[in-house]
Amino acid sequence: MTTEAAGYFSRELLGWYLENKRDLPWRQNRDPYRIWVSEVMLQQTRVDTVIPYYERFMNKFPTVAALAAAPEDEVLKCWEGLGYYSRARNLQAGAREVVERHGGIIPGDKQAVSALRGIGPYTAGAVLSIAFNEPEPAVDGNVMRVLSRYFCLEDDIAKPSTRAGLERLAASLIPEGAACDFNQALMELGALVCTPKSPGCLTCPVVAHCEGRAAGREHELPVKTKAKPPRPETRLAALVAGSGAYAGCVLVRQRADSGLLARMWELPHVADPQGAGGEAAPKRRGRRAASAGAGAAAGWDGGDAFAAAAAERAGEPPQRIRAAQMDALCRQLAAEDGLLVRPTGWWGETEHTFSHIVWSVQVFEAEFGFVLEQAAALDAPESPAAPGIYPAGGAPVGAMLAAEAPVGYQAGDSGALRGHDLADTSRPGHSPSPTLTDGTAARDRMDAGIPLASDNAVAQRLPRGYRWIGPEHMRELAFPNVFLRILRDYWDGRY
Ligand code: SF4
């Protein structure tokens, strides 16, 4: 790197930015709280997507103190749809630390800011430089790409040592007294001109000294080793429609306090014990929604993994796969949550990519059965009989499964799905299945001593964390995108 090229870069970039910077909501002033929130939201997320979320969030939580004092559920609800929900939790935890340790004033020194929850080197650099004009580098993927290309650097940007080197380089480029504008200029160039797949060299303000462009390597740089692809997993989800007092409602549950998607709401779902594949099964209805998240952002196509897994199962009759999935859903939910439901047919599918895992979610409509007294149960996956396990109503689980198997589906060798027209059953208030009003089915259940879902006393007993909700509850409960998509489609009657 020559001193001339570095000086040119800083000078030209700064001039270009001052003339071309976008009018973004977080650039209205240099309030460190506003900048902090924007930087957290912008991680892994496009500016266009962030803007409406940012404005809503700032209206609801206009100060650090307001965010610190808010119930976590409200913060998650405000974040719903943005993904990477740990960002929201960490942001609020950091806000609480600011209130407790710094009297609600975000500190302007590196050590104190870096000690706040959820603030890494990039966010610390962004807040310190943009809000306080401190000469700290703010190096993210955009900035690493720009610097690698401009200086024609071959080092792998996935390595921490490369990042550290680029942080030193970026710090050395900051013109005196202009950290705020310069760091934003670097980000802006990466976002608008020196983009990942099609760098706009012809309109670039620093093209005259760009070494990557001069070497014809602008499309090859930066060097980055590929991250391990997310692990594919098929999840089986139950759309349990309520009846009686719960007509028009569906059953949802809240996730645990820690771990993936902590405290968010979802449809009950379990892992498909047959593995990753789901594609070999028939598509009677539904869609595969676009993948979202880091895996998709990294260009990894989770569909390949599912297709590979599906190929392994290609010899199996598709309807048999669905029948096996319904059986597994019933048994796993009973074993894990003590909830017995009866899947009645496949409803749809969707897909969601997290940073380390990609879910293919196969959704089945189901009827509510009852809550088991003991959740240990169903340890005989090949047999409907589970002696000794008794539900609240007094009948063995195996008896219910045996009584109901011929009504909704057969999981035997024939593998035939004997469902009904699913399109007629997704409307609020509609009886979820003709089998509930089917005299034979109802009689079988009553003969077996099994309470019907319309028995409110039974339906009110739910496993811990479960509840019935209608569309109106979507305004208050926070769902991950994947379940939002399913529930919106369900209640809109589309699909
Ligand atoms: S000239 Fe091209 S490769 Fe170089 S910084 Fe500009 S856009 Fe990027």
Side-chain angles (χ1 to χ4, degrees):
M1 172 183 76
T2 65
T3 309
E4 185 192 356
Y8 167 87
F9 180 81
S10 302
R11 193 173 56 250
E12 293 301 317
L13 187 57
L14 199 51
W16 170 83
Y17 174 71
L18 294 175
E19 284 186 12
N20 294 283
K21 67 179 175 183
R22 289 171 291 177
D23 183 18
L24 299 173
W26 44 89
R27 288 181 177 160
Q28 287 171 4
N29 58 44
R30 288 167 61 177
D31 176 350
Y33 171 64
R34 292 177 63 85
I35 290 157
W36 181 15
V37 172
S38 73
E39 290 298 340
V40 174
M41 282 191 172
L42 286 164
Q43 289 164 20
Q44 318 276 0
T45 314
R46 296 166 55 86
V47 166
D48 291 350
T49 304
V50 164
I51 288 174
Y53 281 95
Y54 178 79
E55 289 177 335
R56 267 200 306 275
F57 196 91
M58 295 311 299
N59 280 338
K60 194 156 180 68
F61 312 112
T63 63
V64 172
L67 178 59
E72 185 187 87
D73 288 349
E74 281 184 25
V75 177
L76 287 176
K77 186 64 194 169
C78 214
W79 204 274
E80 182 186 75
L82 261 185
Y84 300 94
Y85 297 94
S86 58
R87 293 181 299 175
R89 283 191 206 90
N90 286 337
L91 180 63
Q92 187 181 37
R96 287 175 175 164
E97 289 172 354
V98 168
V99 169
E100 286 160 16
R101 295 182 204 159
H102 306 286
I105 309 291
I106 295 172
D109 71 274
K110 187 174 180 179
Q111 194 178 4
V113 167
S114 302
L116 296 173
R117 179 87 172 268
I119 293 199
Y122 169 77
T123 309
V127 171
L128 290 167
S129 61
I130 298 172
F132 300 100
N133 207 23
E134 290 289 328
E136 291 292 337
V139 174
D140 64 356
N142 271 345
V143 171
M144 287 199 281
R145 182 175 63 252
V146 170
L147 296 179
S148 295
R149 286 175 177 170
Y150 183 79
F151 294 105
C152 201
L153 305 174
E154 306 277 349
D155 299 322
D156 180 358
I157 64 168
K159 291 184 176 171
S161 58
T162 304
R163 173 183 283 271
L166 289 172
E167 284 173 350
R168 287 193 295 276
L169 172 60
S172 74
L173 295 169
I174 297 173
E176 194 174 344
C180 169
D181 287 333
F182 179 77
N183 279 357
Q184 291 186 86
L186 254 179
M187 299 170 194
E188 199 84 334
L189 190 73
L192 299 181
V193 182
C194 196
T195 52
K197 290 195 175 144
S198 48
C201 302
L202 295 179
T203 59
C204 179
V206 296
V207 66
H209 286 269
C210 178
E211 294 176 31
R213 165 76 174 173
R217 306 212 50 212
E218 68 270 25
H219 291 281
E220 297 161 24
L221 296 173
V223 174
K224 184 178 183 186
T225 50
K226 289 209 166 169
K228 200 170 151 193
R231 172 171 53 86
E233 184 176 307
T234 298
R235 307 293 303 183
L236 310 174
L239 255 173
V240 184
S243 61
Y246 301 99
C249 294
V250 296
L251 196 57
V252 297
R253 69 182 182 190
Q254 189 170 30
R255 292 180 67 86
D257 289 346
S258 59
L260 183 71
L261 305 173
R263 293 187 55 74
M264 302 201 74
W265 291 82
E266 63 182 9
L267 294 176
H269 60 99
V270 299
D272 181 355
Q274 294 302 311
E279 296 287 336
K283 288 188 181 180
R284 288 165 52 193
R285 182 180 184 207
R287 70 178 182 193
R288 179 168 293 281
S291 297
W300 186 81
D301 180 4
D304 290 347
F306 286 114
E312 280 182 27
R313 303 176 65 182
E316 289 186 63
Q319 288 178 326
R320 186 170 171 176
I321 294 174
R322 291 280 186 238
Q325 287 176 328
M326 291 199 288
D327 189 57
L329 176 58
C330 174
R331 291 178 181 281
Q332 294 283 107
L333 265 185
E336 292 175 15
D337 288 359
L339 174 69
L340 200 61
V341 302
R342 187 181 64 138
T344 55
W346 185 71
W347 186 82
E349 65 179 1
T350 188
E351 191 175 300
H352 190 79
T353 305
F354 301 93
S355 56
H356 61 301
I357 191 169
V358 57
W359 279 354
S360 166
V361 183
Q362 302 296 322
V363 188
F364 296 87
E365 287 189 304
E367 292 172 358
F368 182 80
F370 46 79
V371 178
L372 300 171
E373 290 290 1
Q374 298 175 353
L378 302 184
D379 55 357
E382 298 304 322
S383 167
I389 305 300
Y390 286 79
V397 170
M400 177 179 179
L401 295 176
E404 297 203 337
V407 178
Y409 63 91
Q410 287 182 316
D413 286 340
S414 72
L417 281 167
R418 290 203 289 143
H420 38 271
D421 181 5
L422 298 178
D424 290 336
T425 64
S426 62
R427 305 301 303 163
H430 196 288
S431 175
S433 165
T435 56
L436 262 187
T437 55
D438 178 301
T440 306
R443 194 171 55 249
D444 284 348
R445 298 177 69 172
M446 290 166 67
D447 287 349
I450 299 164
L452 297 176
S454 55
D455 180 338
N456 288 340
V458 172
Q460 281 166 6
R461 283 192 68 248
L462 293 173
R464 194 154 172 238
Y466 276 74
R467 62 175 285 189
W468 293 104
I469 64 160
E472 66 278 13
H473 297 107
M474 300 296 286
R475 287 194 290 272
E476 64 193 58
L477 305 180
F479 287 82
N481 284 356
V482 57
F483 294 110
L484 267 185
R485 284 198 297 272
I486 294 167
L487 286 168
R488 281 180 182 154
D489 281 340
Y490 177 72
W491 273 312
D492 284 348
R494 292 183 276 112
Y495 223 59

